[in-house]
Amino acid sequence: MLEVYKLCDLDPGNIKKLCTRNTDVNNDIRKTVDDIIQRVKTGGDAALKEFSEKFDGITLDELYIGKKEIDALAFKVGNSEKQAIQLAYNNIWKFHEAQLVKEGKIETTAGVTCWRETRAIEKVGLYIPGGTAVLPSTFLMLGIPAKIAGCEQIIVCSPPQKDGKVNAYLAYCAQLLGIERIYLIGGAQAIAAMAYGTESVEKVDKIFGPGNQYVTKAKTIIQSESQTAIDMPAGPSEVLVIADATANPVYVAADLLAQAEHGADSQAVLIADSQLIIDQTIKELDKQLPALPRHTIAAKAIANSYAVLTASLDESMTFSNAYAPEHLILATDKWESLLDKIINAGSVFLGHLTPESAGDYASGTNHTLPTSSYARAYSGVSVDSFVKKITFQHISRAGIENLGPAVEVLASLEGLDAHKNAITVRLK
C-alpha cells in the first residue's frame, strides 16, 4: 500500500531520488508536446479542432462558447451549489484584495526620489483543467486575482465535456467573474494556442493554471520559445504530511487520499517520528480507499507514494524542506514551534483541524501552487502574479549635485565614459 523508509537508512542519494518526481527521462513527453506546439503554430484553429477529436472525442464547429450559452449552462446550477461557490468566491476575493498594497516614495539621497507603481498585465490566459475532474475552484483561484489586478483581457481555456460544452459550475464561475467566452481547448494545445495565438484565440502575455505533465511541459517550453510568460511549473498535485504521536491517523489518511484522488501521477507523502502513527495511517488508508468513487485513481497515486520514519520533528522538517512540497500539512500539536523551520513549501496547513481541502476550495488562499520541488524558488499564484511593478525616479538640481559625482566615479571605474558624460554635462 504505502512503502515505508527509515530516514536513518537513507543516504543523500536515496533522499534525492525520493524527492524527485514527474521526470521525463527519455524525453517522451517533451517530444509529444513539441509536436503539438508546432502543429498549433502552423495549423491554428484547424489543428485545435483535430486535437479535440483525437484527445477529447469531440467534433467542434466552434472553438468557444459565448455569453448566451454560458448563461444557459449556469442556470442549471442548484442553489446550494451556488451558495458554496459564492462563499468560496467571497473568501478568495477578500484574501487576495488585501494584496493590493501601494508603496510609498523613498528619498534615497537628498533630491533623489524613487518609487514603484503597479500595472496590470494586459492579456492573460487561464487554463482550467478538465480531464479526470472538472475544477471550478481553479477558475476562481485564477480569475479573481486577475480581476482584482485589473487585467484588460482574460482568455479562458478548458477541455470540452462530452456534450461539447463546459461544466455548468465553470459557467457559473464565469458569470461571477464577468467572463463572456470560454474556449473549448485542453491540454498542451491550449497552452500553445494562448502562447502563439490562432485565428480564434488571441495571444496572451502570461499563462496561468495547473495541469498534467503535458500541460506543464508545454508551459516550460513556450516560456523559453515565445514572448509569453508563465505563472510557474504547476504539474501533478502533491502533499506532504508531517505527523507525530499527537496526530489523528484517520485525519492523516483522509488528507493523503484527498491529494491522491487528483490523479494517478499525484503523490502523497507521510513523514512521521512515530512508527505507530505510520502503521495506523496505513490501516486507515486500507479502510478509506475502497469507499472512494475515484479509488482506482487514488490507489495508483498511493502506490507512487511513501512514508518516512524519522527520529524527530526536526528531522521531519529537514526532509520536508528537501522535498519542497506543494502542500504541507503539520499534523501535530507543536505546529507553532515548526513555523520558522519551514523554508520550502507552496502552502501550509497548520494543526489537526486544517485540511488541505479547505485551501483547495474556500478558506481564501490560492491553490495554484508550485509542484515538483519548484517551491524552492516559486510562490503560489497571487495578485502579484498578474501585475508588473515598474520603478520610477526623479532627480532635482540638488539631487544631481549630491548623487552625480559618485556616479561619475562608478562609471569611470567600469570604463563607461558615455555614462559618466551623461552626468558631467548636467553638472556643468
Side-chain angles (χ1 to χ4, degrees):
M1 168 63 78
L2 198 66
E3 191 162 0
V4 181
Y5 301 90
K6 291 183 179 180
L7 188 61
C8 61
D9 295 335
L10 300 174
D11 61 28
N14 297 138
I15 293 173
K16 182 178 180 181
K17 187 175 180 180
L18 281 178
C19 292
T20 302
R21 55 265 196 207
N22 300 317
T23 56
D24 184 22
V25 179
N26 298 319
N27 280 325
D28 293 332
I29 294 174
R30 169 92 194 203
K31 292 170 186 173
T32 299
V33 172
D34 270 331
D35 179 63
I36 290 172
I37 290 173
Q38 291 306 315
R39 288 180 62 188
V40 172
K41 285 174 69 175
T42 58
D45 284 358
L48 293 175
K49 290 178 179 179
E50 288 175 15
F51 284 129
S52 182
E53 289 186 21
K54 179 178 180 180
F55 296 126
D56 305 312
I58 300 294
T59 300
L60 295 175
D61 295 323
E62 201 77 70
L63 283 172
Y64 62 87
I65 59 170
K67 186 178 186 304
K68 185 176 180 180
E69 288 177 289
I70 288 172
D71 290 344
L73 288 166
F75 184 76
K76 300 176 182 178
V77 178
N79 287 332
S80 61
E81 288 87 355
K82 284 183 178 179
Q83 290 171 6
I85 292 172
Q86 186 70 61
L87 174 67
Y89 180 95
N90 293 342
N91 286 349
I92 297 165
W93 188 284
K94 188 183 299 182
F95 180 77
H96 288 76
E97 189 175 39
Q99 296 165 8
L100 280 178
V101 179
K102 187 174 182 179
E103 300 177 18
K105 295 182 177 181
I106 303 296
E107 190 173 55
T108 57
T109 296
V112 180
T113 305
C114 303
W115 70 96
R116 294 200 305 175
E117 292 187 13
T118 298
R119 300 288 186 271
I121 297 172
E122 293 178 273
K123 299 176 183 178
V124 296
L126 313 184
Y127 181 71
I128 316 301
T132 61
V134 178
L135 303 176
S137 56
T138 298
F139 200 171
L140 297 180
M141 295 291 177
L142 299 177
I144 288 173
K147 283 289 184 179
I148 291 172
C151 299
E152 287 185 12
Q153 192 167 354
I154 301 174
I155 302 294
V156 179
C157 288
S158 191
Q161 301 299 290
K162 294 303 179 185
D163 60 359
K165 307 296 182 185
V166 297
N167 182 278
Y169 304 119
L170 286 186
Y172 183 64
C173 290
Q175 268 193 343
L176 290 176
L177 292 163
I179 302 294
E180 297 185 353
R181 178 176 291 189
I182 299 176
Y183 288 91
L184 304 169
I185 314 168
Q189 59 270 29
I191 305 302
M194 291 187 285
Y196 296 102
T198 71
E199 298 91 328
S200 297
V201 185
E202 190 160 351
K203 172 180 167 54
V204 301
D205 300 314
K206 190 172 182 179
I207 295 173
F208 297 78
N212 59 24
Q213 294 187 62
Y214 292 88
V215 169
T216 304
K217 183 65 70 175
K219 288 171 67 178
T220 58
I221 291 172
I222 64 95
Q223 181 175 229
S224 63
E225 296 181 359
S226 72
Q227 293 179 318
T228 300
I230 65 169
D231 51 354
M232 73 192 84
S237 197
E238 61 201 34
V239 68
L240 186 146
V241 180
I242 290 179
D244 64 5
T246 67
N248 185 326
V250 176
Y251 297 171
V252 174
D255 289 335
L256 295 173
L257 290 172
Q259 202 59 230
E261 73 173 352
H262 269 297
D265 51 3
S266 294
Q267 194 168 65
V269 177
L270 171 60
I271 312 297
D273 61 1
S274 164
Q275 182 66 55
L276 180 61
I277 285 295
I278 292 177
D279 294 340
Q280 290 176 331
T281 299
I282 290 174
K283 287 181 181 178
E284 276 298 321
L285 287 172
D286 288 336
K287 187 185 300 183
Q288 296 181 29
L289 179 58
L292 296 175
R294 294 167 64 86
H295 63 89
T296 303
I297 291 173
K300 290 178 181 177
I302 291 297
N304 185 43
S305 304
Y306 57 87
V308 177
L309 176 64
T310 65
S312 65
L313 281 173
D314 282 347
E315 278 194 3
S316 297
M317 276 307 318
T318 299
F319 186 93
S320 175
N321 284 323
Y323 186 90
E326 176 191 19
H327 304 101
L328 171 61
I329 298 176
L330 301 185
T332 169
D333 288 345
K334 301 175 183 177
W335 58 266
E336 287 182 279
S337 68
L338 299 178
L339 293 182
D340 291 343
K341 301 179 189 298
I342 300 170
I343 301 172
N344 302 321
S347 190
V348 185
F349 303 81
L350 306 171
H352 306 298
L353 299 179
T354 314
E356 183 268 330
S357 304
D360 260 359
Y361 291 108
S363 63
T365 60
N366 207 291
H367 79 201
T368 309
L369 303 162
T371 64
S372 303
S373 289
Y374 281 108
R376 295 179 186 180
Y378 286 87
S379 305
V381 164
S382 67
V383 172
D384 284 348
S385 307
F386 290 88
V387 301
K388 305 157 292 183
K389 299 198 174 183
I390 304 171
T391 58
F392 294 82
Q393 55 196 282
H394 176 263
I395 301 176
S396 66
R397 177 173 293 278
I400 197 70
E401 291 173 351
N402 291 328
L403 188 68
V407 176
E408 285 182 311
V409 171
L410 292 169
S412 291
L413 67 85
E414 291 190 354
L416 299 176
D417 289 344
H419 280 64
K420 176 184 177 182
N421 191 55
I423 296 293
T424 303
V425 296
R426 286 171 168 81
L427 289 176
K428 288 181 179 179

